Amino acid sequence: MTETSFSSEPRPGSRFSFRDGLFLYTEECMGTVFAFKGFSSLEPALLGHHLERAGDILHEADRTFSTYKPESPISRLAAGQTTLAECPPVVSEIWDSCEDWEKTTDGWFSAFTPQNTFDPSGLVKTWAAKAAFNYLLENGVTNITLNAGGDILIGDETSDEVSWRVAIHKPVSVASEDAGLLTVLDLRGTDYRAVCTSGSAERGSHIWDPKAPGKEAAGSLLQATVVARDLVAADVWATAVFAMGPRAIDELSKYNSANPDSAVEALIVLPDGGLNATEGFIGLFAKPE
Amino acid sequence: MPRKVRNTVAQSAIVLATLVGGVTLTQHFSAGTGAFASAAPSSGTTAGSSTAPAPTGKPDKTVTSANISYPFGTVQLSVTRTAGKIAKIDIGSSTATNGRYQAFPSLVQAAISAQGTNFGNLSGATYTTDAFKQALSSAITKLG
């Protein structure tokens, strides 16, 4: 593939490849990597421009919401150096969204820390990813999928079968020697477009060993994956399910019954390596080829 | 996934048996606190092993299958027979109790069966930029 950049000053963490109509664009942001890929018949320069603009949206969100940047509005807000009214309007938008999600998940997702500060990190990445993705959809890049640091979004116009299939990683780091797949899902023909996985595999040195059960405290999970129509919903619910522990499947089933239009499916990996899932999840596994 | 473990699952051929009479079935992990430990099916639901005991008319007896090894843990099936005998053997994916719990063997089998399928994206816990770069060389991960 040809490495091509179409900006006079490309960001160091950007890579763009475009050949035979297939493109791949990776952007380092928020401490992780966002990978956009798909097919396009746009002129390379125009496609490159749109993808860079999508990257701009990610970086703008990072500048506003990064808790690692002391000068960001969110950091200054947490430090009491500014007020919500003085922050960019998008901060209030995210604040309201977090309040709604806290209600929806019965408090299992919350952006309000024990220190009474506002930390929306749990949904900013997917909120920004969705905004970047929507920008591309609106500008003629519709045959596209996004991997936002492990959170997956699939465009309606995705044409190739393989791009509708999303693998779920084992509850170990993707960089570890034990890296590998838990399973593969196929979302083609469903209303679902987003897959998010919550877990502690990438933080710390947790080693998944089914022969040594009980390493995790009771009530916790090794990993939770949620499939939803919306990327932010998948992300929020993955966080909530992971926090809830083994009872999450029961709670989610009740939520789905009461809210069929926003139903989500979940797969959890239990502390001893076992699985549980919502009723509809079993229909999402990819059929063996 | 280790090939040895995958073959073990394929060969163990989980059989769901229908039992009549007052039979209590307990399906639980050999260790740990998995959710299924508390979801013991009541009588009338099904579980069994590929070596289901033949009806012999013997008095009440608890029969425990060999540990069935899954990649995700082990399951030990215990059958306490208080009366009656095995009337029918089914291989299926019926749910355990009230439809909200997936029958453990069928969920795991479905997950395992899908493992070899080609895919376009990989979902996992959020990885760092460094982890992404390290993982790129692996044939298993398709992070970009």
Side-chain angles (χ1 to χ4, degrees):
Chain A
M1 280 220 201
T2 315
E3 293 283 326
T4 320
S5 174
F6 293 95
S7 166
S8 56
E9 285 181 30
R11 282 182 286 259
S14 301
R15 294 284 183 276
F16 176 40
S17 305
F18 190 26
R19 182 181 165 178
D20 296 337
L22 172 65
F23 69 85
L24 172 62
Y25 178 74
T26 58
E27 183 72 44
E28 292 174 28
C29 189
M30 300 181 188
T32 188
V33 181
F34 294 73
F36 300 80
K37 66 181 173 182
F39 297 87
S40 178
S41 54
L42 292 180
E43 286 301 312
L46 184 57
L47 177 62
H49 163 76
H50 286 319
L51 290 166
E52 279 187 290
R53 179 69 194 107
D56 290 341
I57 291 171
L58 300 175
H59 285 285
E60 200 178 312
D62 194 33
R63 276 191 298 274
T64 305
F65 290 104
S66 175
T67 55
Y68 296 97
K69 297 177 167 45
E71 71 280 9
S72 74
I74 215 69
S75 294
R76 296 184 61 239
L77 190 64
Q81 294 163 1
T82 186
T83 65
L84 190 59
E86 290 167 346
C87 285
V90 73
V91 179
S92 292
E93 187 188 320
I94 292 289
W95 180 294
D96 291 343
S97 181
C98 288
E99 277 193 329
D100 289 343
W101 279 114
E102 185 168 333
K103 286 196 192 82
T104 301
T105 62
D106 208 21
W108 289 101
F109 172 90
S110 176
F112 302 94
T113 71
Q115 296 77 33
N116 281 324
T117 61
F118 176 52
D119 180 2
S121 305
L123 69 65
V124 164
K125 173 170 71 116
T126 44
W127 174 82
K130 190 176 156 185
F133 198 82
N134 283 338
Y135 168 84
L136 292 167
L137 295 181
E138 288 159 12
N139 284 277
V141 189
T142 58
N143 193 340
I144 182 173
T145 67
L146 166 61
N147 186 342
D151 295 331
I152 312 301
L153 184 56
I154 302 172
D156 288 341
E157 307 296 316
T158 296
S159 61
D160 62 323
E161 289 184 13
V162 72
S163 292
W164 284 97
R165 291 198 285 269
V166 179
I168 302 174
H169 203 264
K170 286 161 62 175
V172 298
S173 170
V174 294
S176 83
E177 285 178 1
D178 292 323
L181 305 186
L182 195 73
T183 190
V184 180
L185 309 181
D186 190 343
L187 300 188
R188 196 163 46 107
T190 74
D191 288 341
Y192 298 118
R193 297 291 180 271
V195 183
C196 291
T197 298
S198 195
S200 51
E202 298 291 338
R203 300 189 293 267
S205 56
H206 177 86
I207 297 169
W208 180 60
D209 181 359
K211 294 191 180 116
K215 287 205 167 201
E216 291 292 317
S220 65
L221 302 174
L222 295 186
Q223 188 165 277
T225 296
V226 171
V227 175
R229 294 175 182 88
D230 174 78
L231 185 62
V232 174
D235 193 16
V236 169
W237 276 114
T239 301
V241 165
F242 189 70
M244 270 189 253
R247 48 181 279 207
I249 297 301
D250 219 5
E251 295 301 318
L252 204 49
S253 299
K254 287 182 203 151
Y255 171 83
N256 285 341
S257 296
N259 303 275
D261 291 338
S262 48
V264 299
E265 304 289 352
L267 175 75
I268 60 176
V269 184
L270 298 156
D272 54 8
L275 302 182
N276 198 356
T278 47
E279 209 175 316
F281 202 97
I282 199 159
L284 300 178
F285 291 112
K287 304 294 177 288
E289 287 164 333
Chain B
M1 198 59 64
R3 193 167 296 280
K4 189 166 84 170
V5 175
R6 196 185 295 198
N7 286 341
T8 301
V9 171
Q11 288 158 12
S12 63
I14 303 305
V15 173
L16 302 181
T18 302
L19 299 148
V20 296
V23 177
T24 310
L25 308 173
T26 306
Q27 181 175 322
H28 60 92
F29 289 96
S30 59
T33 57
F36 277 89
S38 59
S42 56
S43 65
T45 56
T46 60
S49 76
S50 55
T51 55
T56 60
K58 288 186 177 175
D60 298 344
K61 187 180 176 184
T62 298
V63 177
T64 304
S65 74
N67 277 349
I68 299 166
S69 228
Y70 293 93
F72 314 105
T74 59
V75 171
Q76 195 175 61
L77 304 178
S78 300
V79 175
T80 301
R81 185 173 57 228
T82 57
K85 54 191 177 183
I86 297 169
K88 193 171 75 161
I89 295 175
D90 286 322
I91 299 173
S93 57
S94 61
T95 54
T97 53
N98 54 12
R100 286 186 297 171
Y101 293 101
Q102 294 295 323
F104 177 60
S106 58
L107 177 64
V108 171
Q109 290 216 315
I112 293 166
S113 296
Q115 279 173 353
T117 313
N118 199 12
F119 60 93
N121 278 300
L122 176 64
S123 179
T126 305
Y127 38 78
T128 63
T129 307
D130 285 345
F132 171 88
K133 288 173 175 170
Q134 275 188 58
L136 276 183
S137 57
S138 159
I140 291 171
T141 54
K142 288 184 189 177
L143 298 179

